[in-house]
Amino acid sequence: MIDGIGGAFLFSNDTKRLAAWYRDCLGIVPQGEDAECSSIYASFEYRDIANPEIKRTIAWAIMPTDQDIKDKPRTGKINYTVKNMGEALSHLKSKGVVIEKTEEYPSMGTFAWLKDPDGNPIELWEPSKE
């Protein structure tokens, strides 16, 4: 039934502030704003493994919420792949971001866990080179 992920959506009481944090700390540059749903979005393109001429897209957006979610617990998390974990962590630390934990799994790669300013859990992953 399911053959992929179409999107990842975060909710915030201050979409512009959170989008700026993702831009400055993780390098996700918003590609625009959607007036219809008042979201700030980016997209990630990739090729289908079985059929490389098919291009797929994963949407990523920060959407406003009409509920006060400040300091409320979050569920779920987004896993972002990184090219170089050492560089990514150095950059985040230079921005004052607290890295909660890092761990290396030889067969899978290196992981790091942190939270964005709204408390959304983030997992960074540098896949194993093997």
Side-chain angles (χ1 to χ4, degrees):
M1 290 178 46
I2 307 259
D3 73 342
I5 300 292
F9 308 105
L10 301 170
F11 294 90
S12 179
N13 293 128
D14 188 343
T15 58
K16 291 186 186 308
R17 176 190 55 80
L18 192 58
W21 185 89
Y22 274 90
R23 181 197 64 226
D24 295 344
C25 292
L26 294 181
I28 299 175
V29 178
Q31 296 162 330
E33 293 187 39
D34 184 332
E36 186 175 329
C37 60
S38 302
S39 66
I40 297 171
Y41 66 88
S43 62
F44 300 90
E45 294 183 345
Y46 64 99
R47 298 272 178 196
D48 186 272
I49 291 175
N51 198 350
E53 59 271 1
I54 297 175
K55 191 179 351 177
R56 298 188 185 269
T57 301
I58 296 176
W60 176 93
I62 299 173
M63 307 171 100
T65 181
D66 58 358
Q67 302 170 19
D68 179 12
I69 58 173
K70 184 176 179 344
D71 300 324
K72 300 286 191 296
R74 303 293 198 272
T75 59
K77 80 175 105 178
I78 298 179
N79 171 292
Y80 298 95
T81 57
V82 298
K83 294 177 186 173
N84 183 304
M85 186 65 76
E87 288 177 11
L89 295 178
S90 291
H91 175 74
L92 288 166
K93 289 175 184 174
S94 78
K95 296 288 187 178
V97 176
V98 174
I99 308 303
E100 296 173 351
K101 180 181 171 185
T102 61
E103 198 153 335
E104 186 172 342
Y105 299 92
S107 63
M108 292 185 294
T110 305
F111 293 83
W113 295 272
L114 56 131
K115 287 192 171 91
D116 73 16
D118 279 5
N120 297 300
I122 294 171
E123 181 176 79
L124 301 180
W125 174 41
E126 180 183 0
S128 175
K129 305 286 188 247
E130 300 170 8

